[in-house]
């Protein structure tokens, strides 16, 4: 019989471990999932959360399961750092207060707290007591990059579940297997999604995302002959295309809110609205990060060709353009463009205006790749 853990890709041991814990009725009250980006920790957290909120431990059919699978269950809370340097103390205080409230729909509540490696000492302190002794019906699932990057006071209060880094070829295989796409499409999708196979599967299924990627790469080449006004227009266009999927998210949220309005209390509705707002902002960051990921992937290919390793090019379908760009630029300038891309991504995560981030990035790339110093 299928269960929520089937959806955890590339982590057979984690799958078996969590499935076993649920079957035996010994789900703990606090977990720390550790693994690098792309190791599918979030997928696993939602699978565990689904098995917790469903009375049948993840039947897949009930309303709890369906909402959990859409990541819309009112009793599954997802948190990401909201401050420039990580989690805010207020965020953790909010969790602490929220934990004692009764669940809205299910018999239990789950908190998925992402990037706990960005939980500083003060914010962590606001939260330790809750982590140590959460109410009976609450499960905390913390996600962090490595065990060592998380505060020891947090680690010691959790059951640690290590995730393996999924090898590149295996990750591509997973995407191909789940979508029927070509290995090239899988590679492109994984790059665009920062290594996440789960997100890459969504990416390759979506023709619009591929068109977006094609346009980003086209613009990178057009920069050679672009004047300042052109760049502003390109930036605007890419920004709109990057964020186009948000319209659908907004619509689904509105529908859900209208549906909930019939039975939910005013305070529950406020919670849903707040959660929707956060989900929308997280989605926006994700989409903008796709843009920087695509830029980075292309620049990386240019660097590979510059370094005499053309066989390592990933974006094979646009290899001619990559070679063309590589022919006119020296390695230090490609490296500089890559670090500008990292800076743009950091700025996006810290909620700097996306317009500014994308404008600056395109100007910098034009300067580095096609500026007066370039080799051609
Ligand atoms: Zn169910």
């Amino acid at each position: 019989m299928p269960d929520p853990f089937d959806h955890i890709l590339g982590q057979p041991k984690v799958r078996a471990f969590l499935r076993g814990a649920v079957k035996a009725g010994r789900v703990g009250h606090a977990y720390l999932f550790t693994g690098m980006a792309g190791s599918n920790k979030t997928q696993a957290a939602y699978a565990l959360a689904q098995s917790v909120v469903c009375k049948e431990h993840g039947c897949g059919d009930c309303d709890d399961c369906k909402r959990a699978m859409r990541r819309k269950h009112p009793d599954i809370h997802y948190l990401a750092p909201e401050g420039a340097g990580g989690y805010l103390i207020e965020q953790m205080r909010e969790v602490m207060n929220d934990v004692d409230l009764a669940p809205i729909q299910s018999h239990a509540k789950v908190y998925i707290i992402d990037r706990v490696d960005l939980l500083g000492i003060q914010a962590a302190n606001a939260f330790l007591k809750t982590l140590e002794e959460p109410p009976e019906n609450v499960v905390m699932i913390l996600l962090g990059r490595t065990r060592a990057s998380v505060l020891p006071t947090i680690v010691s209060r959790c059951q640690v579940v290590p995730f393996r880094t999924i090898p590149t070829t295996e990750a591509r295989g997973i995407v191909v297997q789940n979508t029927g796409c070509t290995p090239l499409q899988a590679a492109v999708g994984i790059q665009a999604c920062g290594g996440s196979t789960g997100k890459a599967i969504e990416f390759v299924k979506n023709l619009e995302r591929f068109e977006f990627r094609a346009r980003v790469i086209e613009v990178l080449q057009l920069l050679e002959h672009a004047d300042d006004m052109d760049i502003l227009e390109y930036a605007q266009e890419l920004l709109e295309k990057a964020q186009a999927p948000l319209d659908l998210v907004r619509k689904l949220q509105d529908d859900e809110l209208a549906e909930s309005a019939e039975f939910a209390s005013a305070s529950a509705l406020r919670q849903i609205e707040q959660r929707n707002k956060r989900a929308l902002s997280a989605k926006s960051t994700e989409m903008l990060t796709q843009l920087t990921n695509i830029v980075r992937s292309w620049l990386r290919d240019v660097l590979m060709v510059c370094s005499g390793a053309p066989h390592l090019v990933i974006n094979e379908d646009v290899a001619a353009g990559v070679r063309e760009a590589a022919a006119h630029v020296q390695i230090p300038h490609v490296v500089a463009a890559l670090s500008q891309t990292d800076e743009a991504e950091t700025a996006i995560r810290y909620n700097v205006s996306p317009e500014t981030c994308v404008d600056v990035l395109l100007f910098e790339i034009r300067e580095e790749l096609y500026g007066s110093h370039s080799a051609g």
Side-chain angles (χ1 to χ4, degrees), residues 50 54-66:
Q50 182 189 337
C54 167
K55 288 182 184 65
E56 310 283 335
H57 311 302
C59 66
D61 285 327
C62 70
D63 193 48
D64 283 315
C65 279
K66 284 181 183 154

Side-chain angles (χ1 to χ4, degrees), residues 94-172:
E94 227 175 89
V95 173
M96 206 174 66
N97 295 331
D98 194 76
V99 155
D100 292 319
L101 304 176
I104 294 173
Q105 176 177 338
S106 168
H107 59 284
K109 300 208 290 187
V110 181
Y111 293 84
I112 299 171
I113 306 183
D114 207 348
R115 295 304 305 269
V116 285
D117 39 314
L118 298 178
L119 192 56
I121 291 177
Q122 283 186 313
N125 281 344
F127 166 71
L128 282 182
K129 189 100 188 71
T130 306
L131 188 61
E132 193 157 64
E133 292 172 344
E136 274 290 287
N137 57 352
V138 169
V139 176
M140 299 275 176
I141 307 172
L142 280 47
L143 315 180
R145 291 283 158 92
T146 62
R147 189 190 176 112
S149 64
V150 180
L151 289 170
T153 46
I154 297 278
V155 178
S156 66
R157 286 165 171 81
C158 296
Q159 183 160 6
V160 181
V161 184
F163 283 55
R164 68 196 267 263
T165 300
I166 305 171
T168 313
T169 43
E170 190 184 328
R172 287 180 197 174

Side-chain angles (χ1 to χ4, degrees), residues 277-315:
K277 224 171 111 187
R278 281 198 290 265
L280 201 61
S281 128
K283 187 76 184 170
S284 166
T285 305
E286 183 191 327
M287 290 295 119
L288 291 168
T289 308
Q290 254 181 26
L291 170 61
T292 52
N293 284 338
I294 293 165
V295 171
R296 184 183 295 111
S297 172
W298 186 82
L299 287 171
R300 175 207 164 275
D301 282 354
V302 173
L303 185 62
M304 288 303 133
V305 174
C306 286
S307 319
H311 58 287
L312 294 178
V313 164
I314 289 174
N315 297 283

Side-chain angles (χ1 to χ4, degrees), residues 3 9 20 104 139 171 237 256 267 304 332 357 375:
D3 70 26
L9 302 170
I104 294 173
V139 176
E237 181 202 337
E256 187 211 17
S267 75
M304 288 303 133
C357 297

